[in-house]
Amino acid sequence: MSHQRSVRSLLWIFTCVFFVAILLFVKSSKHASASRAVLDLSPFTEVVHPSPDTAHVRYNGELYELRSLEGIETKEILDYCKSKYRNRWDKRFAEDLVVVLEGMGKKVGDSVSLELRSLDSNEIVRIEKAPMTKGNRQAVWKARNAGTSNPVVRNPGLLDAQMQKQALVQFESALRERWSYFRTGIEIPGQIKDLSDVIGKQELSNNDFALRLNAIVATACDGHAGVTGYRLLPGKMPFLIEPVGERFVAFLPDRSQFIDPDYPFIEKIDGIEIETWCDKTLSQVVKGSQQYQKRHALRSLRSLNHWRAELGIKQSEEILLELSDAHGNLKAVKQIIDARNPIYGIWPRSESATLKNNIGYLRIKNMDDEAAEELITWMSRWKDTEGIIVDVRDNGGGSREALLTLASYLIADDEKPLVVNAAKYRLYPGFEKDHLAARNMYRIDSSQWNPRERQAILAFAKQFQP
């Protein structure tokens, strides 16, 4: 009897514990769901990045430049996203705004304050309590992910000829008023006029219109500028190409090997020489140095079906390659077109180290705060090295922090100030008075300069021609 009572007691205790556990689980699940719902909020219905340092947002149906959110400047938020989320910074900013702000120490409620600038009138608009809703956040996600794994900005409707002409006028106005590189593209005014004439004579799709705008921007030498919103025809090369001297090599995207180790050089694709393909893709490549253009022309060639169409070549699932060895012997190879875009990634993948003969090798992959911290660590170890190699190959740029940190080790305290960077300010009304200060560039009359620095600047300014 005693034994049965003990069993019943244990069963009763187990039942109670199990019941409490279920309650706790339900409450926890509800709490987690509620937390997730609170995180999935946004005041915007669309987020666009015309450049890495700015954000255009759609609020109440209108597109604005976002100047600040909850009193935090947009660039500061974007810099935080780049530092924390690296190559997914734009996704986190657009889709996980609550998480981003809380990570910056800003508690977010059901509304936020915004400072916006109208893209049409440059008028500054301040919203004290912009509603944060789940519907808005879903709209942002849909705008970024509609129909593609590589989100692009899309116009919600088709542009007729009149609308395209109006857009072209606004496009030229923006280039003239706000683009520092406008004068380097001396053909741009003529190209805009030619496009306006084309619009009057034939119907252009949104895609074709955007591609032509991008080709105009590519005329100048600004590697950070471009037009988004267009899509190239599907069908990608399953391999990558890079120049080696006067020849080209074809290799797998993970760089594990050449397509054919015995025949590493690629001569032709579909019977057409690589140089001819590059001449065609150059229409969408910024006019930089010869090396820059060749490298980016090859990168553009990844969208092979698009460039096949441009050259009048029939679309095919097969890609016919002509490879060669070091002695010029040829070999025909077939590859299959791929839906995915092969990614180059950062290369080389080597890390900072001390090499033989007591040489320091400093690998800077990205210009960010982490690079500056790593630089300090290694420079402290290399006080007695014979020399230092600084490798910035494939570094896409970023903040100036790493450069300033490196300079502090190379410039003696008693050296005379040296002007290494100068620019002529654009006085566009939408720009802040010191809009270049974020890049450590201050006006000539700024209180930032000490007397010795000011003297060097004045001497430099006498011979400086913007």
Side-chain angles (χ1 to χ4, degrees):
M1 185 69 70
S2 174
H3 174 72
Q4 289 178 340
R5 255 199 317 269
S6 297
V7 170
R8 282 199 297 270
S9 298
L10 285 173
L11 285 174
W12 172 247
I13 292 171
F14 174 78
T15 303
C16 290
V17 170
F18 182 70
F19 181 68
V20 170
I22 290 176
L23 283 176
L24 288 173
F25 175 76
V26 170
K27 287 183 178 180
S28 176
S29 299
K30 287 182 178 179
H31 179 70
S33 300
S35 298
R36 184 67 251 176
V38 170
L39 295 179
D40 290 341
L41 303 176
S42 177
F44 316 120
T45 55
E46 187 177 3
V47 177
V48 180
H49 290 287
S51 81
D53 293 332
T54 59
H56 289 178
V57 297
R58 194 171 297 281
Y59 178 77
N60 274 356
E62 297 292 327
L63 203 59
Y64 297 92
E65 177 195 346
L66 177 64
R67 291 165 59 91
S68 70
L69 194 156
E70 287 290 272
I72 308 174
E73 291 187 2
T74 303
K75 186 179 183 306
E76 184 179 345
I77 303 175
L78 293 175
D79 286 346
Y80 170 82
C81 290
K82 292 172 195 172
S83 173
K84 185 171 180 63
Y85 303 112
R86 299 299 178 89
N87 60 343
R88 297 175 70 82
W89 63 270
D90 54 337
K91 175 180 175 65
R92 295 302 177 214
F93 178 86
E95 299 179 15
D96 299 310
L97 192 56
V98 175
V99 175
V100 168
L101 291 173
E102 290 188 351
M104 297 180 72
K106 201 76 171 178
K107 193 68 177 175
V108 181
D110 56 5
S111 67
V112 291
S113 62
L114 305 174
E115 184 175 299
L116 311 169
R117 181 181 69 82
S118 170
L119 298 184
D120 295 327
S121 64
N122 291 321
E123 177 187 0
I124 302 299
V125 179
R126 294 180 176 83
I127 312 294
E128 290 302 321
K129 290 188 177 182
M132 296 278 286
T133 72
K134 192 169 183 177
N136 285 347
R137 193 268 183 187
Q138 288 176 333
V140 169
W141 187 91
K142 287 179 180 178
R144 283 178 51 83
N145 297 278
T148 175
S149 59
N150 297 309
V152 294
V153 179
R154 290 179 181 75
N155 191 289
L158 295 175
L159 300 177
D160 59 26
Q162 184 61 34
M163 293 169 71
Q164 286 181 354
K165 286 210 170 192
Q166 291 174 355
L168 192 58
V169 170
Q170 293 177 339
F171 175 75
E172 182 175 14
S173 176
L175 296 186
R176 288 183 179 276
E177 293 178 347
R178 289 183 268 168
W179 196 25
S180 298
Y181 291 82
F182 179 76
R183 293 185 182 181
T184 68
I186 56 176
E187 309 100 324
I188 288 178
Q191 290 177 326
I192 291 176
K193 183 182 182 304
D194 291 345
L195 179 53
S196 181
D197 292 341
V198 169
I199 293 172
K201 296 174 183 176
Q202 68 183 79
E203 183 177 344
L204 295 178
S205 66
N206 285 2
N207 212 59
D208 194 11
F209 179 58
L211 278 166
R212 289 173 185 250
L213 293 180
N214 194 63
I216 291 174
V217 172
T219 304
C221 59
D222 183 2
H224 291 95
V227 173
T228 61
Y230 61 84
R231 286 197 296 173
L232 303 181
L233 288 174
K236 312 291 183 180
M237 297 191 310
F239 56 89
L240 300 171
I241 305 175
E242 280 196 354
V244 177
E246 297 300 317
R247 305 179 74 178
F248 305 91
V249 291
F251 51 93
L252 301 182
D254 64 1
R255 296 181 183 264
S256 59
Q257 65 178 43
F258 297 112
I259 289 179
D260 188 321
D262 296 325
Y263 292 80
F265 300 100
I266 182 167
E267 306 294 338
K268 296 180 180 180
I269 299 177
D270 292 343
I272 298 175
E273 294 181 346
I274 302 300
E275 291 284 7
T276 303
W277 285 103
C278 288
D279 288 342
K280 193 65 181 177
T281 62
L282 279 174
S283 63
Q284 297 292 331
V285 175
V286 171
K287 303 302 181 284
S289 67
Q290 289 183 353
Q291 295 90 338
Y292 179 95
Q293 287 189 285
K294 179 176 286 187
R295 187 167 187 253
H296 286 269
L298 290 169
R299 291 187 169 219
S300 297
L301 187 53
R302 286 177 290 180
S303 298
L304 184 64
N305 270 349
H306 174 83
W307 298 111
R308 278 172 163 174
E310 291 288 309
L311 285 172
I313 299 174
K314 185 179 179 181
Q315 307 292 302
S316 172
E317 290 296 310
E318 288 188 341
I319 310 171
L320 180 61
L321 308 181
E322 189 174 286
L323 305 178
S324 67
D325 62 13
H327 307 292
N329 299 310
L330 301 177
K331 178 181 180 179
V333 173
K334 287 183 180 180
Q335 293 273 304
I336 303 299
I337 206 82
D338 201 332
R340 297 164 298 179
N341 203 28
I343 304 300
Y344 276 86
I346 294 178
W347 187 262
R349 297 195 182 110
S350 46
E351 301 292 338
S352 299
T354 302
L355 308 179
K356 63 181 181 179
N357 299 325
N358 198 26
I359 300 294
Y361 170 73
L362 181 65
R363 173 67 175 136
I364 305 180
K365 303 173 187 176
N366 300 291
M367 291 300 181
D368 53 19
D369 293 342
E370 186 176 313
E373 292 173 7
E374 183 180 357
L375 194 151
I376 292 170
T377 299
W378 282 103
M379 292 299 280
S380 65
R381 301 177 186 177
W382 290 336
K383 292 178 180 178
D384 299 319
T385 53
E386 296 297 320
I388 297 173
I389 298 169
V390 181
D391 186 353
V392 292
R393 287 175 292 173
D394 226 11
N395 186 318
S399 73
R400 304 285 172 95
E401 196 60 37
L403 292 177
L404 294 172
T405 303
L406 181 59
S408 70
Y409 288 95
L410 304 179
I411 301 175
D413 293 338
D414 58 353
E415 282 192 48
K416 292 181 179 179
L418 178 66
V419 177
V420 296
N421 203 0
K424 184 177 180 180
Y425 265 74
R426 296 303 302 268
L427 300 179
Y428 178 69
F431 291 165
E432 297 285 353
K433 179 181 178 182
D434 287 314
H435 61 276
L436 295 183
R439 295 189 173 272
N440 299 99
M441 300 180 70
Y442 304 93
R443 293 186 177 225
I444 199 168
D445 58 354
S446 172
S447 60
Q448 181 76 19
W449 311 118
N450 63 40
R452 292 176 70 238
E453 291 170 338
R454 193 180 307 282
Q455 187 178 0
I457 291 168
L458 292 173
F460 169 84
K462 290 180 180 178
Q463 55 185 343
F464 174 55
Q465 294 296 322

